[in-house]
Amino acid sequence: MTTPDKSFPVSWEQFHRDARALAWRLAGLRSEWKAIVCITRGGLVPAAIIARELGTRLIETVCIASYHDYDTQGELQVLKDISPVLREEDGEGILIVDDLTDTGKTAALVRAMLPKAHFATVYAKPKGRPLVDTFITEVSQDTWIFFPWDLGLTFQAPIAKGSAG
């Protein structure tokens, strides 16, 4: 994997705080969501946190592969579709959750499946931002977010020594 120009490492604690902040914003929009549809794999962790905070018990997944080598985004593949019951009424009252909207390709695909659903992500980049309804933090398009589930504890060189993050 090539090192990105800019990186944004996110700790478990920070991600939990950001996902709870997202839940806080979503709580003010509806008294109850029919279900959460999380986009796997990245949407699994924030969906669990948001479901707990909002008291939502029905969690569905839509499984889409886009990053095939953790370096470049490839052709989208729907590995598992959303249940037909949740697709009724075009997703009205459904909350879609993902960790990040990057280019917006995955978001556009899921939006087409559930056009009336509310789409929420923890992080958003400019290209994908118009496709989501609610997010917490925007990062530049050339920034790679290192999520806690992708990190190990290792030495990080200081920024002044040429390190990207």
Side-chain angles (χ1 to χ4, degrees):
M1 178 173 156
T2 59
T3 305
D5 290 336
K6 297 177 187 171
S7 64
F8 182 54
V10 180
S11 68
W12 282 108
E13 292 80 10
Q14 182 64 49
F15 191 82
H16 190 253
R17 279 191 298 272
D18 290 344
R20 287 191 79 226
L22 183 58
W24 190 268
R25 286 188 186 170
L26 295 167
L29 299 177
R30 287 183 80 96
S31 60
E32 186 176 337
W33 296 94
K34 292 179 186 176
I36 292 175
V37 172
C38 69
I39 301 172
T40 69
R41 292 178 307 212
L44 288 166
V45 175
I49 295 166
I50 291 165
R52 179 202 182 263
E53 297 300 332
L54 301 182
T56 305
R57 296 285 182 171
L58 181 55
I59 302 173
E60 167 70 286
T61 59
V62 57
C63 304
I64 299 174
S66 61
Y67 285 95
H68 304 291
D69 57 7
Y70 282 94
D71 193 14
T72 56
Q73 192 172 29
E75 190 71 27
L76 295 179
Q77 296 176 337
V78 177
L79 305 174
K80 180 192 159 292
D81 208 338
I82 300 166
S83 102
V85 173
L86 294 182
R87 293 181 77 161
E88 293 172 1
E89 300 176 28
D90 289 333
E92 180 69 37
I94 304 294
L95 176 61
I96 302 167
V97 174
D98 205 356
D99 56 351
L100 164 73
T101 181
D102 190 333
T103 64
K105 291 178 183 177
T106 301
L109 180 63
V110 177
R111 264 253 189 250
M113 295 174 182
L114 299 169
K116 292 183 180 176
H118 188 91
F119 204 124
T121 62
V122 182
Y123 305 107
K125 291 186 180 182
K127 286 184 182 177
R129 183 179 174 199
L131 292 161
V132 299
D133 300 304
T134 306
F135 67 94
I136 294 300
T137 302
E138 184 172 355
V139 297
S140 63
Q141 199 67 43
D142 61 346
T143 298
W144 185 269
I145 299 175
F146 288 98
F147 289 101
W149 47 88
D150 291 327
L151 298 175
L153 298 176
T154 61
F155 172 76
Q156 297 295 309
I159 292 171
K161 299 287 185 190
S163 172

